[in-house]
Amino acid sequence: MSDDQTTQIREAIQSAITENPVILFMKGTPDQPMCGFSARTVAILQSVGKPFAAVNILPDPRIRQELSGLSDWPTIPQLFIDGEFVGGCDIVTEMYESGELQHALGVEDDAGNGQAAPEAQAQEPAPLTIENRL
Amino acid sequence: MAATDAPATPEELKTRIEAGIPGATAAVTGDGHHFNAVVSAPAFQGLSRIAQHRLVYDVFGAEVGDRIHALSIQTKAKAAETENSA
């Protein structure tokens, strides 16, 4: 019964990670984060100015369960870049402060690069919920 | 394992991290639900940040997210203490 659904959830998570170059699994949505760690991670991604997909893990506890099974990481949020697990809030914060995150996202923190100015690139993040992927 | 419902304390987390990771030194703050741990250990040398943080999470297993509601981690590799610091 629910085994089928669990498999579906796991597959939906896997394809979401594969299909979205930058994807954040979080509590709540970028507009309405439900946890301080998720909020901080969203704020960092937005300040870097790179569009990202976001999945709210709260609607179904199995999302978190399957996600943590895949990533071998117990906490939320979880950021994936190009299909690879990058880390949670602490690691994303450290990487942002050291410039590694900007590098990994291909958005160097370089004033001379007008093309990557966060304002100019006011592209909406694409909120993506697991539900409408099933 | 520690099958207790008693609230976690920073002291408990510090003790368990230092017992669980050889040579580790931990400074832990927290309010019983949200904790912050700064951990240095020789075992972190050569590991990615993700792997370092996993070592710390692994000390607590399923308690992270449950009894330990949130655990922020900063890790530092440190040299093994084999110096002449008698």
Side-chain angles (χ1 to χ4, degrees), chain A residues 27 37 40 64 71-75 85-87 90-91 94-95 98 100, chain B residues 34 36 49-50 53-54 57-58 61 64-65 69-75:
Chain A
K27 293 184 181 175
F37 300 105
R40 197 203 309 178
R64 176 177 186 162
S71 60
D72 188 23
W73 195 258
T75 56
F85 176 60
V86 169
D90 299 325
I91 289 179
E94 278 184 37
M95 289 177 72
S98 70
E100 284 166 86
Chain B
H34 295 75
N36 186 73
R49 267 198 208 95
I50 293 174
H53 286 219
R54 271 193 190 121
Y57 283 133
D58 284 351
V64 174
H69 177 76
L71 176 59
S72 277
I73 299 173
Q74 287 89 45
T75 50

Side-chain angles (χ1 to χ4, degrees), chain A residues 34-83:
Chain A
M34 302 298 285
C35 160
F37 300 105
S38 289
R40 197 203 309 178
T41 308
V42 165
I44 287 174
L45 288 172
Q46 288 176 340
S47 88
V48 168
K50 182 84 176 178
F52 60 97
V55 174
N56 181 3
I57 60 110
L58 291 176
D60 188 326
R62 287 172 301 185
I63 301 173
R64 176 177 186 162
Q65 188 186 314
E66 293 306 310
L67 175 65
S68 287
L70 271 172
S71 60
D72 188 23
W73 195 258
T75 56
I76 304 293
Q78 296 186 18
L79 179 68
F80 293 77
I81 299 177
D82 295 330

